[in-house]
Amino acid sequence: AELPPPYTAIASPDASGVPVINCRVCQSLINLDGKLHQHVVKCTVCNEATPIKNPPSGKKYVRCQCNCLLICKDTSRKIGCPRPNCRRIITLGPVMLIPEEQPAQPALPVQPDGTRVVCGHCGNTFLWMELRFNTLAKCPHCKKISSVGSALPRRRCCAYITIGMICIFIGVGLTVGTQDFARQFHATYVSWAIAYLLGLICLIRACYWGAIKVSYPEHSFA
C-alpha cells in the first residue's frame, strides 16, 4: 500500500500579508495568493502538486514514489501512475481521512510488507515484496535481474567453484588412472568428457554469480 500525501494547513501570512504553504516534496514556500479556491497548488521549484484542501467528496489523494500527486476514488485499492517514466501500479490500503477543520497531522502509514531496494544496474529505487534478502529481483525500471544482498551470489559462486574443481580433479584422475583401460574400451573417454564438461559448466556458473549485480535495501519495513 502507498501513503496519502500529508495534508498541511495553510500557513500564516508572511511579512507581506500573502498566505503561503510549504511544498510537501521540496519544502519550498508556495504563494497562495488567488489560489485559495483550488484543492491543490503547484510548486514553482520542483513542479510537484501539494494539497491545500481536503479532496472532493468521495475522493482521496495518493502520492506516488515518483512524487506525482494523484486523486482517486476513496474506495480504490489499486491505481496506476500516469507518468510515462514511472507507470507504477500502486496498491492502496485504508487511510485516515483528516477533517478540514482539524489541525493538519500526518495520516497513519500503512506499512508495506516489503523493502525499498536500490537497483544495482540503474540506481532507481523499487519496492521488493519479499520479506527476506538474498533473493533475485527484477527491477521494474530497467527490467534487469540483480541479487538483493551479496550473500546469495557469494555462496553460489563458492559452491560452483568447489563443485567445478572437484569435477575437474575427477576428470584428471580418470584420465591418468584409466588410460590403458580406455585404449580397449573407448566408451571410457565419455566419462572423461562428462567430468571435464561438468567442471567447465560449474566454473562458468561461478563466473556468472561472481559478476552478478547486487541491489542493496534502503531499509526494511519487516
Side-chain angles (χ1 to χ4, degrees), residues 1-3 63-66 86 88-93 110-119 122-133 135-142 146 148 215-222:
E2 297 290 329
L3 306 181
R63 180 80 71 181
C64 180
Q65 292 178 23
C66 69
C86 181
R88 183 178 281 105
I89 301 299
I90 304 170
T91 302
L92 306 175
V110 178
Q111 301 290 353
D113 295 329
T115 304
R116 295 190 186 279
V117 175
V118 180
C119 178
C122 63
N124 287 317
T125 301
F126 62 94
L127 187 63
W128 181 236
M129 299 308 295
E130 293 284 344
L131 293 179
R132 56 192 178 91
F133 297 153
T135 57
L136 294 181
K138 183 176 182 180
C139 176
H141 303 285
C142 64
S146 61
V148 182
S215 299
Y216 294 98
E218 284 187 343
H219 57 275
S220 175
F221 293 105

Side-chain angles (χ1 to χ4, degrees), residues 5-13 19-24 27-30 32 36 38-39 41 50-54 61 98-106:
Y7 175 65
T8 305
I10 297 174
S12 302
V20 294
I21 192 174
N22 287 102
C23 173
R24 300 309 301 176
Q27 304 304 316
S28 301
L29 288 179
I30 303 175
L32 298 180
L36 295 179
Q38 301 176 194
H39 282 84
V41 291
T50 293
I52 60 174
K53 293 182 180 180
N54 277 332
Y61 297 122
I98 302 175
E100 200 168 357
E101 66 273 11
Q102 294 293 328
Q105 297 177 0

